[in-house]
Amino acid sequence: MENSREDRLHAPITARDVLDWLEQAAAALRSGDIEAGELIALLGELRQASTACANASDWALLAAREAGASLRQIAPVFGKGYVRAPAARLEKLHREVLSSDQFLELMRRREPDV
């Protein structure tokens, strides 16, 4: 049974969300509401969020393969439809973990305060 569009699993943040946020942040910067120190702290938060998104992407790649997705099905989200990109990423991930569950456990151990 397929999930309806509203019920399906989706990313916690989208490119549109980020662009909207950037426009608001840029307006605040132009108006002088943000200082350099705040921008540095923000940069740190964004770098952490970027790492978290990359980890979520890796988990989804592992989980998709475990769910039976082929590299040809996965390849388009890596761009240009080449299977080499997801295959190389899977190979790299498999040097550390064998499954999406192991990957999630590794992330928990690396980020105990999250």
Side-chain angles (χ1 to χ4, degrees):
M1 178 156 121
E2 288 206 22
N3 292 338
S4 71
R5 177 97 172 118
E6 298 81 34
D7 293 339
R8 75 173 181 84
L9 186 62
H10 58 86
I13 189 167
T14 66
R16 179 81 244 171
D17 296 334
V18 172
L19 181 57
D20 290 346
W21 178 86
L22 279 170
E23 289 172 351
Q24 292 172 4
L29 182 62
R30 282 190 300 273
S31 69
D33 292 339
I34 300 176
E35 297 178 5
E38 291 174 281
L39 288 171
I40 293 167
L42 178 62
L43 177 60
E45 291 174 17
L46 289 168
R47 304 265 313 153
Q48 288 176 337
S50 177
T51 297
C53 285
N55 288 338
S57 174
D58 285 346
W59 175 86
L61 173 60
L62 287 165
R65 284 293 284 165
E66 291 167 17
S70 73
L71 290 175
R72 289 197 186 285
Q73 291 172 303
I74 295 168
V77 301
F78 278 76
K80 299 190 181 186
Y82 297 123
V83 297
R84 287 188 304 263
R89 189 67 195 145
L90 279 168
E91 185 178 321
K92 185 175 181 180
L93 288 168
H94 283 149
R95 288 186 206 131
E96 284 191 84
V97 297
L98 296 175
S99 71
S100 59
D101 286 339
Q102 285 180 342
F103 184 84
L104 188 56
E105 183 55 37
L106 180 64
M107 292 302 96
R108 285 183 190 120
R109 285 195 310 265
R110 286 184 180 169
E111 299 292 334
D113 58 336
V114 174

